[in-house]
Amino acid sequence: LMFAEKTSLDLSGLTAPVTVWLGGDDRMNGPDDVRRMLKNIPVADFRLFPGEGHLVAITRFGEMMEKLKREAG
């Protein structure tokens, strides 16, 4: 939605490192767009999944939850 409406989201106040999960074939938020959006925030882990599209949060949901559980201790 951010890119479709030509608006931006100010993430400059974000200080905690983030993990990014991105489908390499995402046509809504391509890798270049996402890297541009992340240029001013700390990225701990950038996970690019070649051949996957916009629904990485669904197709990789189990992996995401396992990572969160591990990191939460």
Side-chain angles (χ1 to χ4, degrees):
L1 186 60
M2 284 182 359
F3 298 111
E5 294 186 9
K6 303 291 183 206
T7 61
S8 62
L9 177 63
D10 182 8
L11 300 175
S12 62
L14 187 60
T15 58
V18 299
T19 296
V20 177
W21 297 60
L22 178 66
D25 292 342
D26 188 331
R27 290 185 279 160
M28 295 184 74
N29 301 299
D32 291 339
D33 291 331
V34 172
R35 284 187 181 98
R36 181 175 41 81
M37 185 175 68
L38 297 171
K39 71 180 179 182
N40 294 319
I41 65 169
V43 176
D45 190 6
F46 189 91
R47 296 181 179 211
L48 183 64
F49 298 95
E52 295 192 37
H54 188 69
L55 300 178
V56 170
I58 294 171
T59 60
R60 302 278 179 163
F61 184 78
E63 291 173 62
M64 293 172 132
M65 293 301 104
E66 287 301 317
K67 180 174 176 34
L68 286 170
K69 285 194 284 187
R70 278 192 313 272
E71 292 179 0

